Amino acid sequence: MKASMLFVLASICAAVAAPVPQTSTAAAAKPCFIIGTTALPTEVQNLVPTLARSVTCDTSRQVGNGIPDLKSGSTTFSSVDFQKSKKSPLGFALEKFATPANPANANAAKLQEELNVYLAFEVALRSKGLGGRTLTNAKVPKFFLQFQMARVQQAKGQKVTFNGGVEHQRGKVLKNAAAASATNAELDAVKALP
């Protein structure tokens, strides 16, 4: 009896001392824009926690491929959706996401909201395993927004937080846009931006 009491007491002590996993429904829930089950590339997966804090979904409205409308701040993906344009993805981005002649005067907060919904859209596409032309087309406005944000940061004398800086981002725009039916005039317009 004494041995069994010691065993019970030891079991209770072990149970009390064992760490309790810290989980919460909110932390365990996947973000609303991860709508598929395909594993995300590490670079994309690393963006998810930040996007989850700034992007919400309107499941009553879809923006294509079963993806809900995405919202960051006052910007919805449906309000900046390149898929609605008759222009190439780059032609759309050049028009929709233009900055003033001096990028320092651009509305960086608005550009960031627009970038957030494009990043979340890319995550949604990738989570569904969609690649090829669909993904390439979506990446053009995303990279253009990253390029514009890098230009704004540089013009304001801030540290450029986008990988490789302005010229690297310009290169990403040009590479993806060329694969997404951009015209030579559109490509030249990107090359000409200071």
Side-chain angles (χ1 to χ4, degrees):
M1 172 131 169
K2 191 174 187 182
S4 64
M5 282 180 78
L6 286 174
F7 177 76
V8 170
L9 185 57
S11 297
I12 292 170
C13 289
V16 171
V20 177
Q22 299 296 313
T23 60
S24 72
T25 307
K30 71 180 177 185
C32 61
F33 49 85
I34 297 182
I35 57 173
T37 58
T38 301
L40 301 171
T42 302
E43 180 180 293
V44 175
Q45 180 62 48
N46 290 342
L47 298 171
V48 171
T50 301
L51 289 173
R53 290 189 295 274
S54 61
V55 175
T56 59
C57 299
D58 178 355
T59 55
S60 70
R61 184 178 186 161
Q62 291 192 356
V63 293
N65 296 301
I67 300 169
D69 200 1
L70 307 160
K71 184 175 184 182
S72 178
S74 63
T75 302
T76 59
F77 186 82
S78 59
S79 70
V80 294
D81 186 353
F82 75 97
Q83 300 170 109
K84 296 177 183 177
S85 176
K86 293 185 186 203
K87 297 182 179 195
S88 74
L90 181 57
F92 169 82
L94 282 162
E95 181 179 288
K96 186 71 176 174
F97 308 125
T99 58
N102 178 357
N105 296 326
N107 184 341
K110 183 68 172 166
L111 285 172
Q112 185 63 58
E113 289 177 1
E114 293 163 342
L115 177 56
N116 289 344
V117 296
Y118 266 91
L119 290 168
F121 184 71
E122 179 182 352
V123 170
L125 288 173
R126 288 180 180 273
S127 76
K128 287 191 75 169
L130 297 171
R133 189 164 192 88
T134 302
L135 182 59
T136 299
N137 286 345
K139 285 167 53 176
V140 173
K142 177 202 78 166
F143 281 127
F144 187 78
L145 282 161
Q146 288 181 184
F147 168 62
Q148 292 291 63
M149 285 294 296
R151 290 178 63 237
V152 168
Q153 290 172 340
Q154 184 173 17
K156 290 183 175 188
Q158 300 170 343
K159 180 180 185 249
V160 176
T161 58
F162 293 89
N163 184 29
V166 172
E167 291 310 314
H168 178 74
Q169 293 301 319
R170 185 191 317 264
K172 297 291 259 180
V173 172
L174 295 171
K175 175 185 170 196
N176 284 276
S181 306
T183 66
N184 286 335
E186 292 166 347
L187 296 171
D188 288 344
V190 172
K191 292 174 188 173
L193 289 169

